[in-house]
Amino acid sequence: MIVEPKVKGFICTTAHPVGCETNVNRQIRYVKENGRMEGPKKVLVIGASTGYGLASRITAAFGLGAATIGVMFEKEASGKRTATPGYYNTKAFDEAAKREGLYAKSFNGDAFSAEVKEEVIQTIKQDLGQVDMVIYSLAAPRRTMADGTTYVSTLKTTGELFTEKSWNLQNNTVGEASISSATEEEIQATVKVMGGEDWMDWIDALAAADAIAKDAVTIAYSYIGPKLTYPVYHEGTIGMAKKHLKESADAITKKQTANGIKAYVSVNKALVTQASAAIPIVPLYFAVLYKVMKEKGIHEGCIEQMERLFKDKLFGTGGVLLSEDGMIHMDDWEMREDVQSEVMDIWRRIDSDNLFELSDINGYWEDFYHMFGFKFPEVDYTADVMV
């Protein structure tokens, strides 16, 4: 089967297995070239198949030499329909780990469910005894509870209607877009899905089963962004969920004091994801930010971020490096005053006529296609592949 990208608006409905494998192998090569690090040796990654979760698992395995267990919810190929990119990513990771003699097991199922938690814990007990690091990088649109209730997350403001410049990805014009205000019910549902409740459930279940080691570390990922996007992220529904994530980290650390388990939140840099591509206003900010950070030589993708997180801010000689707000900030380069000053100067001037001149549209689309395994020059996309 010849697989081509089929893009509809801000989503791609196909994924290329060889391209996804190439993406994974590129990240593995980056970590290996940067050398081995000291750190945990038995790592559980919840949300391990794409983005920061995948990069974290790669860094743990090929940077720390750790045994890893990954949890993800991906679809296999069916008929002429390709599998999801995370399915191919996981397969490529598992094969690469096996070649290196690294323990790796992957569970494809609903991480919110008690059944998946139990299955994973039993495997930890049987194969590893305990894990000494838990990475929580789950990005899901909905969560179904044990009683059958389903909560759906929304990306809305919690105040007034928010209107700003926005890039129309379909015709490459700059106009305006608006994001509406959420109801209290939508806010609470978003917190249920994207907050820290399930993270706490995982740590509770692991601790109750004696499947997490004393003095283990657990980390979840967040994003704040500049004041420009505060109504969407920091002060919006997603911001309320991320506030709950930090409260959950504090609650985990307090509850697990006797075991020495510490929970952290890492605030990461803005990067193209399937979720961010769908949010009005945000892709234009990303494209401008990419241009500025690349010109300064400080742009990072997921794997560069996670390798630096592990090496410099989690397991370096200085210990865990926290900012004044009690979180780890991997967005430190994005939020530098000189970077944000240039971004805002461009933002005031950018329009349909100078869009390509003042922003990195091509870089944005390259990252977008790479998520699905496309646009890698070393891959022959005219060749038949097994999906």
Side-chain angles (χ1 to χ4, degrees):
M1 179 176 173
I2 295 174
V3 181
E4 297 178 338
K6 294 181 179 178
V7 178
K8 296 180 179 178
F10 50 79
I11 62 170
C12 185
T13 60
T14 55
H16 198 283
V18 178
C20 288
E21 181 181 23
T22 299
N23 189 16
V24 169
N25 288 336
R26 277 188 172 195
Q27 294 184 58
I28 291 171
R29 186 162 58 249
Y30 176 84
V31 171
K32 291 175 71 174
E33 286 173 353
N34 278 276
R36 278 290 175 95
M37 300 173 270
E38 292 300 318
K41 298 300 181 186
K42 300 173 183 178
V43 179
L44 169 62
V45 186
I46 303 158
S49 56
T50 60
Y52 281 122
L54 172 64
S56 298
R57 191 179 189 190
I58 289 171
T59 304
F62 296 93
L64 300 176
T68 63
I69 291 178
V71 183
M72 69 290 302
F73 198 22
E74 301 292 345
K75 292 182 179 178
E76 298 183 41
S78 177
K80 292 185 177 181
R81 198 174 187 86
T82 69
T84 52
Y87 180 88
Y88 296 132
N89 291 340
T90 301
K91 182 180 178 183
F93 173 88
D94 288 344
E95 290 173 351
K98 185 177 180 180
R99 287 195 300 269
E100 296 277 333
L102 293 167
Y103 174 97
K105 279 200 175 176
S106 301
F107 292 85
N108 193 1
D110 182 3
F112 290 128
S113 71
E115 292 78 13
V116 167
K117 288 181 175 69
E118 179 62 23
E119 189 178 2
V120 169
I121 287 170
Q122 289 305 314
T123 299
I124 291 170
K125 296 285 285 182
Q126 178 181 316
D127 294 358
L128 305 178
Q130 294 177 320
V131 291
D132 50 5
M133 183 179 192
V134 178
I135 297 164
Y136 192 85
S137 184
L138 207 60
R142 61 184 56 82
R143 175 186 178 190
T144 299
M145 310 298 287
D147 64 1
T149 305
T150 297
Y151 294 95
V152 179
S153 65
T154 57
L155 285 158
K156 293 185 177 182
T157 73
T158 56
E160 299 177 352
L161 180 77
F162 176 54
T163 302
E164 250 300 352
K165 285 183 178 179
S166 190
W167 162 35
N168 185 321
L169 279 69
Q170 294 177 301
N171 60 19
N172 284 323
T173 59
V174 175
E176 283 191 340
S178 297
I179 299 175
S180 60
S181 179
T183 65
E184 184 60 32
E185 186 176 293
E186 287 175 321
I187 294 170
Q188 294 307 315
T190 303
V191 171
K192 274 284 186 184
V193 177
M194 305 186 74
E197 186 176 74
D198 184 60
W199 183 23
M200 290 190 288
D201 288 347
W202 268 99
I203 302 303
D204 283 346
L206 288 161
D210 194 29
I212 185 169
K214 288 186 180 299
D215 302 322
V217 61
T218 181
I219 190 165
Y221 299 137
S222 185
Y223 179 70
I224 294 177
K227 289 183 179 179
L228 173 69
T229 62
Y230 268 16
V232 186
Y233 277 112
H234 192 50
E235 297 165 354
T237 52
I238 186 67
M240 297 302 100
K242 297 308 182 183
K243 179 183 177 183
H244 187 268
L245 197 69
K246 175 61 172 68
E247 292 169 354
S248 301
D250 295 340
I252 290 169
T253 299
K254 184 177 181 180
K255 187 172 184 178
Q256 299 296 333
T257 299
N259 295 321
I261 297 168
K262 291 183 170 60
Y264 302 101
V265 171
S266 175
V267 182
N268 297 339
K269 170 184 176 286
L271 285 173
V272 180
T273 65
Q274 294 181 54
S276 65
I279 310 169
I281 302 159
V282 169
L284 181 60
Y285 166 72
F286 284 10
V288 173
L289 178 72
Y290 273 31
K291 179 178 176 61
V292 172
M293 293 190 75
K294 285 180 179 179
E295 287 178 349
K296 292 180 179 293
I298 55 173
H299 175 72
E300 293 175 309
C302 288
I303 195 63
E304 292 85 4
Q305 281 263 290
M306 294 301 95
E307 199 269 347
R308 183 163 70 95
L309 169 65
F310 279 44
K311 182 174 286 184
D312 295 350
K313 300 208 174 188
L314 269 179
F315 308 120
T317 54
V320 179
L321 300 183
L322 298 176
S323 297
E324 290 181 3
D325 59 6
M327 295 188 286
I328 300 168
H329 276 268
M330 296 307 300
D331 64 345
D332 48 356
W333 296 352
E334 174 187 353
M335 299 312 299
R336 268 176 28 180
E337 187 176 344
D338 62 319
V339 171
Q340 286 301 314
S341 176
E342 288 188 35
V343 167
M344 290 314 301
D345 177 62
I346 292 172
W347 188 267
R348 286 186 286 269
R349 295 184 288 123
I350 199 165
D351 56 30
S352 299
D353 294 331
N354 58 26
L355 176 64
F356 281 85
E357 175 191 348
L358 296 183
S359 67
D360 186 18
I361 297 299
N362 292 331
Y364 179 96
W365 279 117
E366 181 179 68
D367 275 12
F368 177 88
Y369 280 110
H370 281 181
M371 283 193 295
F372 301 93
F374 295 107
K375 307 291 185 180
F376 289 104
E378 62 265 49
V379 176
D380 180 4
Y381 291 101
T382 64
D384 278 323
V385 293
M386 293 288 293
V387 299

PDB file of all heavy atoms in Angstrom, residues 209-232:
ATOM      1  N   ALA A 209       0.139  -1.318  45.891  1.00  0.00           N
ATOM      2  CA  ALA A 209       0.625  -2.636  45.443  1.00  0.00           C
ATOM      3  C   ALA A 209       2.116  -2.818  45.699  1.00  0.00           C
ATOM      4  O   ALA A 209       2.682  -3.849  45.319  1.00  0.00           O
ATOM      5  CB  ALA A 209       0.334  -2.805  43.957  1.00  0.00           C
ATOM      6  N   ASP A 210       2.732  -1.832  46.338  1.00  0.00           N
ATOM      7  CA  ASP A 210       4.179  -1.849  46.576  1.00  0.00           C
ATOM      8  C   ASP A 210       4.936  -2.009  45.256  1.00  0.00           C
ATOM      9  O   ASP A 210       5.949  -2.712  45.180  1.00  0.00           O
ATOM     10  CB  ASP A 210       4.560  -2.982  47.543  1.00  0.00           C
ATOM     11  CG  ASP A 210       5.975  -2.835  48.090  1.00  0.00           C
ATOM     12  OD1 ASP A 210       6.449  -1.683  48.192  1.00  0.00           O
ATOM     13  OD2 ASP A 210       6.617  -3.858  48.374  1.00  0.00           O
ATOM     14  N   ALA A 211       4.446  -1.323  44.218  1.00  0.00           N
ATOM     15  CA  ALA A 211       5.051  -1.415  42.885  1.00  0.00           C
ATOM     16  C   ALA A 211       5.826  -0.164  42.520  1.00  0.00           C
ATOM     17  O   ALA A 211       6.296  -0.028  41.385  1.00  0.00           O
ATOM     18  CB  ALA A 211       3.967  -1.676  41.841  1.00  0.00           C
ATOM     19  N   ILE A 212       5.971   0.768  43.474  1.00  0.00           N
ATOM     20  CA  ILE A 212       6.773   1.961  43.243  1.00  0.00           C
ATOM     21  C   ILE A 212       7.795   2.067  44.364  1.00  0.00           C
ATOM     22  O   ILE A 212       7.468   1.880  45.545  1.00  0.00           O
ATOM     23  CB  ILE A 212       5.895   3.238  43.137  1.00  0.00           C
ATOM     24  CG1 ILE A 212       6.773   4.448  42.770  1.00  0.00           C
ATOM     25  CG2 ILE A 212       5.088   3.486  44.395  1.00  0.00           C
ATOM     26  CD1 ILE A 212       5.961   5.696  42.393  1.00  0.00           C
ATOM     27  N   ALA A 213       9.033   2.328  44.018  1.00  0.00           N
ATOM     28  CA  ALA A 213      10.133   2.297  44.976  1.00  0.00           C
ATOM     29  C   ALA A 213      10.127   3.520  45.891  1.00  0.00           C
ATOM     30  O   ALA A 213       9.589   4.577  45.548  1.00  0.00           O
ATOM     31  CB  ALA A 213      11.463   2.222  44.225  1.00  0.00           C
ATOM     32  N   LYS A 214      10.722   3.370  47.057  1.00  0.00           N
ATOM     33  CA  LYS A 214      10.947   4.514  47.938  1.00  0.00           C
ATOM     34  C   LYS A 214      11.854   5.512  47.231  1.00  0.00           C
ATOM     35  O   LYS A 214      12.744   5.137  46.475  1.00  0.00           O
ATOM     36  CB  LYS A 214      11.581   4.063  49.254  1.00  0.00           C
ATOM     37  CG  LYS A 214      10.633   3.296  50.180  1.00  0.00           C
ATOM     38  CD  LYS A 214      11.284   3.012  51.509  1.00  0.00           C
ATOM     39  CE  LYS A 214      10.337   2.255  52.442  1.00  0.00           C
ATOM     40  NZ  LYS A 214       9.114   3.022  52.747  1.00  0.00           N
ATOM     41  N   ASP A 215      11.589   6.784  47.482  1.00  0.00           N
ATOM     42  CA  ASP A 215      12.367   7.880  46.882  1.00  0.00           C
ATOM     43  C   ASP A 215      12.226   7.953  45.364  1.00  0.00           C
ATOM     44  O   ASP A 215      13.068   8.552  44.681  1.00  0.00           O
ATOM     45  CB  ASP A 215      13.857   7.762  47.255  1.00  0.00           C
ATOM     46  CG  ASP A 215      14.083   7.772  48.763  1.00  0.00           C
ATOM     47  OD1 ASP A 215      13.375   8.533  49.457  1.00  0.00           O
ATOM     48  OD2 ASP A 215      14.941   7.010  49.240  1.00  0.00           O
ATOM     49  N   ALA A 216      11.172   7.343  44.833  1.00  0.00           N
ATOM     50  CA  ALA A 216      10.917   7.437  43.391  1.00  0.00           C
ATOM     51  C   ALA A 216      10.519   8.863  43.032  1.00  0.00           C
ATOM     52  O   ALA A 216      10.108   9.666  43.878  1.00  0.00           O
ATOM     53  CB  ALA A 216       9.808   6.463  42.982  1.00  0.00           C
ATOM     54  N   VAL A 217      10.637   9.183  41.750  1.00  0.00           N
ATOM     55  CA  VAL A 217      10.229  10.488  41.252  1.00  0.00           C
ATOM     56  C   VAL A 217       9.103  10.305  40.244  1.00  0.00           C
ATOM     57  O   VAL A 217       9.079   9.320  39.486  1.00  0.00           O
ATOM     58  CB  VAL A 217      11.424  11.238  40.610  1.00  0.00           C
ATOM     59  CG1 VAL A 217      11.978  10.454  39.423  1.00  0.00           C
ATOM     60  CG2 VAL A 217      11.037  12.638  40.176  1.00  0.00           C
ATOM     61  N   THR A 218       8.154  11.227  40.261  1.00  0.00           N
ATOM     62  CA  THR A 218       7.092  11.198  39.251  1.00  0.00           C
ATOM     63  C   THR A 218       6.910  12.613  38.717  1.00  0.00           C
ATOM     64  O   THR A 218       7.040  13.600  39.452  1.00  0.00           O
ATOM     65  CB  THR A 218       5.768  10.640  39.805  1.00  0.00           C
ATOM     66  OG1 THR A 218       4.791  10.620  38.742  1.00  0.00           O
ATOM     67  CG2 THR A 218       5.229  11.453  40.970  1.00  0.00           C
ATOM     68  N   ILE A 219       6.651  12.714  37.424  1.00  0.00           N
ATOM     69  CA  ILE A 219       6.566  14.032  36.787  1.00  0.00           C
ATOM     70  C   ILE A 219       5.445  14.059  35.769  1.00  0.00           C
ATOM     71  O   ILE A 219       5.162  13.060  35.101  1.00  0.00           O
ATOM     72  CB  ILE A 219       7.914  14.401  36.131  1.00  0.00           C
ATOM     73  CG1 ILE A 219       7.922  15.862  35.671  1.00  0.00           C
ATOM     74  CG2 ILE A 219       8.268  13.453  34.978  1.00  0.00           C
ATOM     75  CD1 ILE A 219       9.315  16.399  35.361  1.00  0.00           C
ATOM     76  N   ALA A 220       4.766  15.203  35.689  1.00  0.00           N
ATOM     77  CA  ALA A 220       3.728  15.426  34.680  1.00  0.00           C
ATOM     78  C   ALA A 220       4.077  16.711  33.935  1.00  0.00           C
ATOM     79  O   ALA A 220       4.835  17.551  34.430  1.00  0.00           O
ATOM     80  CB  ALA A 220       2.357  15.542  35.335  1.00  0.00           C
ATOM     81  N   TYR A 221       3.512  16.859  32.738  1.00  0.00           N
ATOM     82  CA  TYR A 221       3.886  17.967  31.867  1.00  0.00           C
ATOM     83  C   TYR A 221       2.770  18.995  31.713  1.00  0.00           C
ATOM     84  O   TYR A 221       1.581  18.659  31.693  1.00  0.00           O
ATOM     85  CB  TYR A 221       4.293  17.431  30.496  1.00  0.00           C
ATOM     86  CG  TYR A 221       5.479  16.494  30.568  1.00  0.00           C
ATOM     87  CD1 TYR A 221       5.505  15.298  29.839  1.00  0.00           C
ATOM     88  CD2 TYR A 221       6.577  16.791  31.371  1.00  0.00           C
ATOM     89  CE1 TYR A 221       6.591  14.439  29.907  1.00  0.00           C
ATOM     90  CE2 TYR A 221       7.671  15.940  31.445  1.00  0.00           C
ATOM     91  CZ  TYR A 221       7.668  14.765  30.721  1.00  0.00           C
ATOM     92  OH  TYR A 221       8.743  13.915  30.797  1.00  0.00           O
ATOM     93  N   SER A 222       3.191  20.259  31.580  1.00  0.00           N
ATOM     94  CA  SER A 222       2.242  21.355  31.496  1.00  0.00           C
ATOM     95  C   SER A 222       2.740  22.389  30.492  1.00  0.00           C
ATOM     96  O   SER A 222       3.843  22.277  29.951  1.00  0.00           O
ATOM     97  CB  SER A 222       2.065  21.999  32.881  1.00  0.00           C
ATOM     98  OG  SER A 222       1.061  22.997  32.861  1.00  0.00           O
ATOM     99  N   TYR A 223       1.915  23.394  30.246  1.00  0.00           N
ATOM    100  CA  TYR A 223       2.306  24.524  29.410  1.00  0.00           C
ATOM    101  C   TYR A 223       1.589  25.767  29.929  1.00  0.00           C
ATOM    102  O   TYR A 223       0.420  25.700  30.319  1.00  0.00           O
ATOM    103  CB  TYR A 223       1.958  24.288  27.934  1.00  0.00           C
ATOM    104  CG  TYR A 223       2.338  25.454  27.044  1.00  0.00           C
ATOM    105  CD1 TYR A 223       3.681  25.736  26.803  1.00  0.00           C
ATOM    106  CD2 TYR A 223       1.378  26.278  26.477  1.00  0.00           C
ATOM    107  CE1 TYR A 223       4.051  26.813  26.011  1.00  0.00           C
ATOM    108  CE2 TYR A 223       1.735  27.358  25.676  1.00  0.00           C
ATOM    109  CZ  TYR A 223       3.076  27.627  25.444  1.00  0.00           C
ATOM    110  OH  TYR A 223       3.445  28.697  24.669  1.00  0.00           O
ATOM    111  N   ILE A 224       2.300  26.875  29.953  1.00  0.00           N
ATOM    112  CA  ILE A 224       1.706  28.143  30.389  1.00  0.00           C
ATOM    113  C   ILE A 224       1.641  29.128  29.230  1.00  0.00           C
ATOM    114  O   ILE A 224       0.590  29.662  28.905  1.00  0.00           O
ATOM    115  CB  ILE A 224       2.488  28.746  31.568  1.00  0.00           C
ATOM    116  CG1 ILE A 224       2.359  27.839  32.805  1.00  0.00           C
ATOM    117  CG2 ILE A 224       1.975  30.153  31.893  1.00  0.00           C
ATOM    118  CD1 ILE A 224       3.154  28.295  34.002  1.00  0.00           C
ATOM    119  N   GLY A 225       2.795  29.367  28.601  1.00  0.00           N
ATOM    120  CA  GLY A 225       2.818  30.268  27.458  1.00  0.00           C
ATOM    121  C   GLY A 225       2.910  31.733  27.848  1.00  0.00           C
ATOM    122  O   GLY A 225       2.923  32.089  29.023  1.00  0.00           O
ATOM    123  N   PRO A 226       2.947  32.619  26.842  1.00  0.00           N
ATOM    124  CA  PRO A 226       3.068  34.062  27.081  1.00  0.00           C
ATOM    125  C   PRO A 226       1.711  34.679  27.435  1.00  0.00           C
ATOM    126  O   PRO A 226       0.667  34.040  27.302  1.00  0.00           O
ATOM    127  CB  PRO A 226       3.568  34.571  25.737  1.00  0.00           C
ATOM    128  CG  PRO A 226       2.876  33.673  24.752  1.00  0.00           C
ATOM    129  CD  PRO A 226       2.865  32.308  25.400  1.00  0.00           C
ATOM    130  N   LYS A 227       1.747  35.937  27.838  1.00  0.00           N
ATOM    131  CA  LYS A 227       0.500  36.634  28.187  1.00  0.00           C
ATOM    132  C   LYS A 227      -0.455  36.686  27.010  1.00  0.00           C
ATOM    133  O   LYS A 227      -1.671  36.701  27.192  1.00  0.00           O
ATOM    134  CB  LYS A 227       0.818  38.039  28.692  1.00  0.00           C
ATOM    135  CG  LYS A 227       1.482  38.057  30.058  1.00  0.00           C
ATOM    136  CD  LYS A 227       1.706  39.480  30.558  1.00  0.00           C
ATOM    137  CE  LYS A 227       2.351  39.454  31.950  1.00  0.00           C
ATOM    138  NZ  LYS A 227       2.603  40.826  32.464  1.00  0.00           N
ATOM    139  N   LEU A 228       0.105  36.691  25.796  1.00  0.00           N
ATOM    140  CA  LEU A 228      -0.723  36.723  24.585  1.00  0.00           C
ATOM    141  C   LEU A 228      -1.752  35.596  24.574  1.00  0.00           C
ATOM    142  O   LEU A 228      -2.910  35.798  24.186  1.00  0.00           O
ATOM    143  CB  LEU A 228       0.182  36.615  23.351  1.00  0.00           C
ATOM    144  CG  LEU A 228      -0.508  36.460  21.992  1.00  0.00           C
ATOM    145  CD1 LEU A 228      -1.232  37.748  21.622  1.00  0.00           C
ATOM    146  CD2 LEU A 228       0.498  36.079  20.913  1.00  0.00           C
ATOM    147  N   THR A 229      -1.332  34.384  24.997  1.00  0.00           N
ATOM    148  CA  THR A 229      -2.232  33.226  24.942  1.00  0.00           C
ATOM    149  C   THR A 229      -2.826  32.867  26.305  1.00  0.00           C
ATOM    150  O   THR A 229      -3.443  31.823  26.444  1.00  0.00           O
ATOM    151  CB  THR A 229      -1.487  31.996  24.373  1.00  0.00           C
ATOM    152  OG1 THR A 229      -0.386  31.664  25.244  1.00  0.00           O
ATOM    153  CG2 THR A 229      -0.979  32.259  22.969  1.00  0.00           C
ATOM    154  N   TYR A 230      -2.640  33.726  27.304  1.00  0.00           N
ATOM    155  CA  TYR A 230      -3.190  33.450  28.637  1.00  0.00           C
ATOM    156  C   TYR A 230      -4.687  33.124  28.620  1.00  0.00           C
ATOM    157  O   TYR A 230      -5.124  32.181  29.301  1.00  0.00           O
ATOM    158  CB  TYR A 230      -2.933  34.638  29.567  1.00  0.00           C
ATOM    159  CG  TYR A 230      -1.647  34.550  30.359  1.00  0.00           C
ATOM    160  CD1 TYR A 230      -0.636  33.650  30.008  1.00  0.00           C
ATOM    161  CD2 TYR A 230      -1.432  35.375  31.461  1.00  0.00           C
ATOM    162  CE1 TYR A 230       0.545  33.588  30.722  1.00  0.00           C
ATOM    163  CE2 TYR A 230      -0.243  35.309  32.182  1.00  0.00           C
ATOM    164  CZ  TYR A 230       0.744  34.421  31.814  1.00  0.00           C
ATOM    165  OH  TYR A 230       1.904  34.351  32.530  1.00  0.00           O
ATOM    166  N   PRO A 231      -5.508  33.867  27.865  1.00  0.00           N
ATOM    167  CA  PRO A 231      -6.941  33.547  27.882  1.00  0.00           C
ATOM    168  C   PRO A 231      -7.243  32.126  27.397  1.00  0.00           C
ATOM    169  O   PRO A 231      -8.265  31.543  27.779  1.00  0.00           O
ATOM    170  CB  PRO A 231      -7.544  34.590  26.931  1.00  0.00           C
ATOM    171  CG  PRO A 231      -6.598  35.743  27.002  1.00  0.00           C
ATOM    172  CD  PRO A 231      -5.243  35.109  27.102  1.00  0.00           C
ATOM    173  N   VAL A 232      -6.352  31.555  26.552  1.00  0.00           N
ATOM    174  CA  VAL A 232      -6.564  30.203  26.040  1.00  0.00           C
ATOM    175  C   VAL A 232      -5.981  29.170  26.989  1.00  0.00           C
ATOM    176  O   VAL A 232      -6.633  28.190  27.355  1.00  0.00           O
ATOM    177  CB  VAL A 232      -5.912  30.028  24.644  1.00  0.00           C
ATOM    178  CG1 VAL A 232      -6.275  28.665  24.059  1.00  0.00           C
ATOM    179  CG2 VAL A 232      -6.316  31.144  23.721  1.00  0.00           C
TER     180      VAL A 232
END
